[in-house]
């Protein structure tokens, strides 16, 4: 199976065989995590950069009274912040939502990649910029959209992100989240999440069964949530490939 990080970066540029090999050779520390197990916890030493190879994970913060806010989701191919190894300790936690396989890329290997391969470095910058764009959109989502719009927007985003790494089935993708986890993501109560899911189902916009999300009418769901995929920057690859002087693949 293609390394999901390479599949993700292909949305930005076409990496050479040497660049792809260099990425694959950096992935030698792989661990499996059970569902709802922490990959790394707040306060732990960073140690390196986490790469999700399989599964589904989240970034979260917990208040002293136990309330949790999920602030990001990771799909296969996502790096859990390329620059985190610069810090001594984690200021947030990363947890596996389902059974997941995670690699740790050492600081030495990250620096080797970025020092030796300029095109790959630009691709990794692109990945980081997309993560920051997603974070901005999540702030807008919680701050300005109503409950139905928030949920619909999240569902649209995750479908696009799974599609970008070839892990969708048409308009379906994995979404193994409980209503509590959706509440912790969207800033809603579990009761409000339940009502909102029912509203989306009644409007025949989505189904969510056995951990699989199916968007029945993507255009309508995008309109409902004011979703515009431009912030995911998935249409940049053709321009960048030509800008690199390489043929479009």
């Amino acid at each position: 199976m293609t390394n999901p990080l390479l599949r993700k970066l292909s949305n930005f540029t076409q990496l050479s065989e040497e660049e792809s090999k260099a990425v694959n050779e950096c992935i030698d520390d792989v661990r499996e995590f059970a569902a709802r197990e922490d990959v790394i916890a707040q306060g732990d030493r960073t140690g390196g950069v986490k790469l999700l190879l399989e599964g589904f994970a989240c970034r979260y913060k917990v208040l002293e009274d136990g309330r949790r806010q999920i602030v990001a989701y990771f799909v296969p191919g996502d790096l859990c912040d390329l620059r985190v190894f610069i810090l001594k300790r984690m200021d947030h936690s990363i947890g596996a939502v389902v059974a997941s396989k995670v690699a740790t890329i050492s600081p030495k290997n990250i620096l080797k990649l970025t020092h030796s391969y300029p095109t790959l470095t630009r691709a990794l910058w692109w990945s980081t910029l997309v993560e920051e764009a997603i974070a901005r959109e999540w702030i807008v989502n919680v701050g300005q959209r109503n409950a139905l719009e928030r949920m619909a927007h999240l569902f649209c985003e995750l479908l696009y992100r799974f599609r970008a790494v070839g892990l969708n089935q048409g308009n379906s993708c994995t979404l193994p989240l409980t209503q509590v986890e959706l509440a912790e993501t969207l800033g809603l109560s579990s009761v409000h999440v339940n009502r909102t899911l029912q509203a989306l189902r009644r409007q025949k916009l989505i189904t969510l069964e056995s951990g699989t999300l199916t968007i029945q009418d993507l255009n309508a769901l995008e309109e409902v949530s004011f979703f515009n995929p431009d912030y995911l920057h998935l249409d940049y690859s053709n321009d960048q490939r030509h800008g690199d002087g390489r043929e479009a693949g």
Side-chain angles (χ1 to χ4, degrees), residues 27-38:
I27 300 171
D28 56 4
D29 180 8
V30 179
R31 283 189 55 195
E32 295 184 0
F33 293 87
R36 277 72 194 183
E37 180 182 1
D38 275 350

Side-chain angles (χ1 to χ4, degrees), residues 160-222:
Y160 272 82
R161 290 173 62 190
F162 275 109
R163 182 189 290 171
V165 290
L167 293 176
N168 64 305
Q169 298 82 39
N171 280 351
S172 296
C173 65
T174 186
L175 192 70
L177 298 174
T178 65
Q179 291 188 15
V180 170
E181 288 165 334
L182 280 172
E184 292 171 337
T185 304
L186 299 172
L188 303 170
S189 68
S190 297
V191 172
H192 206 165
V193 164
N194 183 273
R195 288 200 299 261
T196 305
L197 281 170
Q198 296 304 324
L200 289 171
R201 289 181 174 123
R202 282 196 304 272
Q203 296 177 41
K204 300 188 184 302
L205 293 174
I206 64 113
T207 61
L208 184 57
E209 298 176 355
S210 303
T212 298
L213 168 71
T214 299
I215 298 179
Q216 295 173 283
D217 189 336
L218 181 56
N219 289 335
L221 200 67
E222 290 178 354

Side-chain angles (χ1 to χ4, degrees), residues 61-69:
K61 297 275 290 186
V62 179
L63 298 180
E64 291 182 359
D65 64 2
R67 286 176 292 166
R68 185 171 80 147
Q69 180 69 42

Side-chain angles (χ1 to χ4, degrees), residues 2-55:
T2 302
N3 181 330
L5 176 58
L6 295 176
R7 177 68 181 84
K8 177 181 177 178
L9 296 180
S10 73
N11 289 284
F12 173 75
T13 192
Q14 182 178 333
L15 297 176
S16 69
E17 183 176 341
E18 181 183 358
E19 291 162 339
S20 298
K21 181 181 178 182
V23 172
N24 284 327
E25 288 177 347
C26 284
I27 300 171
D28 56 4
D29 180 8
V30 179
R31 283 189 55 195
E32 295 184 0
F33 293 87
R36 277 72 194 183
E37 180 182 1
D38 275 350
V39 174
I40 190 167
Q42 182 171 333
D44 288 351
R45 291 190 174 277
T46 54
V49 178
K50 305 299 182 185
L51 166 64
L52 184 66
L53 297 173
E54 297 177 10

Side-chain angles (χ1 to χ4, degrees), residues 2-134:
T2 302
N3 181 330
L5 176 58
L6 295 176
R7 177 68 181 84
K8 177 181 177 178
L9 296 180
S10 73
N11 289 284
F12 173 75
T13 192
Q14 182 178 333
L15 297 176
S16 69
E17 183 176 341
E18 181 183 358
E19 291 162 339
S20 298
K21 181 181 178 182
V23 172
N24 284 327
E25 288 177 347
C26 284
I27 300 171
D28 56 4
D29 180 8
V30 179
R31 283 189 55 195
E32 295 184 0
F33 293 87
R36 277 72 194 183
E37 180 182 1
D38 275 350
V39 174
I40 190 167
Q42 182 171 333
D44 288 351
R45 291 190 174 277
T46 54
V49 178
K50 305 299 182 185
L51 166 64
L52 184 66
L53 297 173
E54 297 177 10
F56 191 55
C58 67
R59 174 183 284 133
Y60 69 90
K61 297 275 290 186
V62 179
L63 298 180
E64 291 182 359
D65 64 2
R67 286 176 292 166
R68 185 171 80 147
Q69 180 69 42
I70 294 174
V71 296
Y73 283 118
F74 299 104
V75 305
D78 283 344
L79 292 162
C80 305
D81 198 329
L82 180 66
R83 303 154 299 187
V84 73
F85 71 91
I86 295 172
L87 304 176
K88 291 183 179 180
R89 295 186 181 276
M90 295 291 292
D91 59 19
H92 61 274
S93 300
I94 295 169
V97 177
V98 296
S100 299
K101 187 177 292 186
V102 179
T104 300
I105 306 177
S106 69
K108 177 182 176 182
N109 281 334
I110 289 291
L111 293 173
K112 180 181 177 182
L113 290 176
T114 55
H115 287 171
S116 304
Y117 302 100
T119 298
L120 176 57
T121 298
R122 288 194 295 273
L124 292 170
W125 286 350
W126 167 84
S127 176
T128 298
L129 289 168
V130 170
E131 291 171 15
E132 292 172 354
I134 290 171

